[in-house]
Amino acid sequence: MQGRLEERQLLDSFVERVRGGSSATLVLVGEAGIGKTRLLDGVAGAADGVRCARTGGAEAETHLGYAGLHRLLRPFLDRSDHLPDPQRTALATVFGRVGGPAPDLFLVGLATLTLLADVAADAPVVCLVDDAQWLDPESLAVLAFVGRRLDADGIGLLIGVRDDPAALAVLRGLPSHPVAGLTADDARRLVADTAPSRLDPHVADRIVAETGGNPLALLEVTGALTTEQLAGASVLPEHLPIGERLEAHFVRRVRVLPPDTRRLVLLLAAAPGDDEALLWRAAARLGVEPAALDPAISAGVVRGHTIRHPLIRSAVYADASPADRRAVHAALGHVTVRADRRAWHRAESVAGLDDTVADELENAASGARGGAARAAFWSRAAELTSDAPRRAERFLAAARTFVVIGDTAAAASRLDRATPWLTRPAARAAAQRVRASVEWYGSGVAARAPAILLDALSTFGPLDGPTARAMLWEAMTAGLLAGRYTEGVTLLDVARAAARLPPSDRPTVADRALDAFAARIAGDYARAAPLLRTAVATMRTEDFADGAGAEASVGSWAAIDLWDDDGLGAVLTRMEEFQRAQGALQGLNSTLSTVALWKVAIGRFAEAEAHHDEATELCAAMGLPPRGDAHRVELFAWQGREDQTRAAADLALRVWGAQLRYGVLEAHARYALVVLELGLGRYREALDAAERLLADDPPGEGNRVLADAVEAAVRAGDRAAARFAFDRLASRAPVSGTPWALGLLARCRALLADPGDAEALYKESIEQLDRTSVRTDLARTHLLYGEWLRRQGRRADARDQLRVAHERFTAMGAAAFATRAEHELRATGASVRKRTPAADVSLTAQELQVARLASRGATNAEIATRLFVTASTVEYHLNKTFRKLNITSRRQLAGVLDP
């Protein structure tokens, strides 16, 4: 290798880290021919004591889901029996070894990570990935996920990729290094070393200058010049074969080959690169003998049975006539066994329309192992279909699949081709349903989706019951998320449309939730409460949909609206475990934030922090942009972190609310501001913050704020506002009937009661709330009761209540409320013992997660599966934690971590 000192040192360090038992990830980014493949070859040839596995992208396979990943893992699949059951099944499914629904992409990622870690337990392993810009989307996403989760596993991931925006977006966040051209001196030495005859220095300078030091261009230009041109005795061509002209140079080299050789080279360009037997069967079908490849080998176009460089492969395929390409694909279609590949080759062999091949593509789409493949098969099937309505429905199916994989631009394109030819009302309504999803996910704004869906129902209805209910459920979900920002229709319009539907014969979780929220939004809480209760009960027992992203939010809104802390905890715990088992990271990311809110309510702030931290880590693992602190706003408020609360609330109100029009996060931020102001004793400000929530009354936050609004209004001297909030609470809490609801109702009655009646009501509130897990509200009742006792002149009794409140607030970390209790205590004449803060051991978020799970008896393998890392990474974090905590065993963890 000529030059490349910086890259060689970087890669030597990369290999040494892996060899030493750590992990390393590196993305080499550069233009075609710049030397990425040569650098990967150098690692493969010099990595003594390290096992190398290799894969690469191929243009012909970008639509075949998990094809690139299969090439990488094929040498290790005999170890798949070592994987946990869900992971083993996931890999077997995407590699076509077993049937079944497509698993979550990130479960495949975890299975890949676990399998590689099992290999690395015997010897360090380096995965070399070339031409990543041509990998199928699923393989690229899985490898990016693996790269972000590597830590202390003895695994290296080295990826070569062109400067391709789409591929680099998937690889976002991974360490990268730009590979530029050789330095002028190194480039001259390379030209001199490869020139077949005397080289004039001025000729060398021009070659180096015009190629920019690109090694492939240097070699090809030097090889293309005559002896006289190299020696300076003959004029050089005006345009040297570089850049786009380099492809033309390769094309000219191939065009002079014999016809059978050209046909065989084109076959190599179209065929999968990992099946030599398939190649020769197709060649036989074309009537071409293997010996026909010899001229291509002699010309330097082919090395072994592979085209020498991807640039040559793409140039050969692009230059071939349509008839020649169809002939090659026809041959491959005849000899390919795998159904999806066979269908694709047959489709590429067709000129015009072919309904038989279109049907074959549709069947292949049903069994395709990746979303991108399904979308491609549906699209191509539509293009080959002769019947216009059938073609339109296939384009509609393609659009629906493109939405699922997040390519809303492609979905909109297919939808535009489908819509004019859809004849059935149900199909036209389905198109509008997809249009709403394109609008929602394409812009990131849910506010316009309900209007599109309701318009489709009124224009193309009546539809069958399940379809209509599914569309209204999507409209309801979008409307609940958008809240007051819903455009074109109101959430009440959605609720009224849902109320007009007949009940479902076999109601799902979504059916029950739709009926419940329709009643709730229509203002009939007495009818809504039992329906909400049934929806929560259903979610505690029935299976969730794949990924279950929406159910976590819906379940939490329903449970909170009922003040059902037991149901809230049960649903969220079950949801979290389901999503972890499924590897459903997208849904889990949302659920973790909701679980954190529940943890805050029950006073477990450290656990809430850990859940928020894990959600942040999962965003990074999935390559998503940073979340910001808007989701942590309530935790900050309870912790009394005023500046951070206001900054997070501003983010939620300004960006998530006014800009993205997600009213649900805006409402949550407003509630957090109410909590903050109450903790700080700013009652008028707390009432002002509650005003919008009282007016909008959104499910969940609308009920949560009622007791806080009563407290703020009473303390601010606004009896009218207090009575308004209390009357709503008094009409709903008995209907709910939970201890949480009844405890808050008793507390608010006490706040409004005459002195002779208040004490019994405070005691009732404490008795009811003590039956719940909601430690925050219980501590607040002790605080309010203590404040009331002090104002009645009963200082000794007040001390007892205030001390309980102070100790509980201090233990959970509710700093502002603890300070409020402390001031009241001092006003009774009591001294307040300062709690000695625990030593700061500075555990990272992942170390704390690992330590907590280990302290509860989880094994390394169980922790690894739960946190989407490897067992060796868990062991690494545990060892670091032991050193930081100055302990020597897992048994000691429970004693040193916060309870």
Side-chain angles (χ1 to χ4, degrees), residues 751-774:
L751 284 164
L752 290 166
D754 294 331
D757 300 325
E759 184 164 17
L761 291 167
Y762 278 124
K763 288 180 177 179
E764 179 187 343
S765 176
I766 289 172
E767 180 183 354
Q768 290 283 4
L769 291 172
D770 201 33
R771 296 166 56 196
T772 75
S773 59
V774 190

Side-chain angles (χ1 to χ4, degrees), residues 733-802:
V735 176
S736 164
T738 65
W740 189 6
L742 297 177
L744 293 177
L745 179 60
R747 187 171 85 197
C748 291
R749 288 190 191 279
L751 284 164
L752 290 166
D754 294 331
D757 300 325
E759 184 164 17
L761 291 167
Y762 278 124
K763 288 180 177 179
E764 179 187 343
S765 176
I766 289 172
E767 180 183 354
Q768 290 283 4
L769 291 172
D770 201 33
R771 296 166 56 196
T772 75
S773 59
V774 190
R775 302 292 94 180
T776 48
D777 270 322
L778 177 59
R780 284 179 60 183
T781 299
H782 281 291
L783 172 61
L784 289 168
Y785 183 23
E787 290 175 338
W788 178 84
L789 287 167
R790 187 180 74 79
R791 284 159 179 74
Q792 300 303 307
R794 297 166 56 183
R795 298 171 69 181
D797 293 336
R799 286 188 201 113
D800 292 339
Q801 297 300 323
L802 293 170

